[in-house]
Amino acid sequence: VDTLLSSAKDKRDHKNADMIVANFAKESLGSDKTRVWLVTKSGKEEEVAISSKEYIANRIVKTAMRL
C-alpha cells in the first residue's frame, strides 16, 4: 500500500491534479467490487474499503465536488 500511495502522490504532483484515485488493478479487473484510495492535493489519503464499483464511483464524485 505504501508504494501505491507514493506512486499516486507522484502522479498527482506531476499532473498537478487535485485528486488521484489509486487502486490495485489486479483486485479490480473482472470484479464487481474493489477498493481505492483517494489522494488529494491537500495531502489527505482516504481509503474506500472493498465496495461495489457504483458506490466507489459515487464517493469519487462527492469527494471531487468538495475540492
Side-chain angles (χ1 to χ4, degrees), residues 18-48:
D18 292 329
M19 180 176 67
I20 289 287
V21 179
N23 72 336
F24 293 110
K26 286 184 179 182
E27 290 181 1
S28 178
L29 296 174
S31 175
D32 293 337
K33 295 184 177 189
T34 191
R35 67 179 170 156
V36 300
W37 287 261
L38 308 177
V39 183
T40 65
K41 190 178 245 181
S42 67
K44 183 177 178 185
E45 299 170 6
E46 178 184 353
E47 180 180 1
V48 181

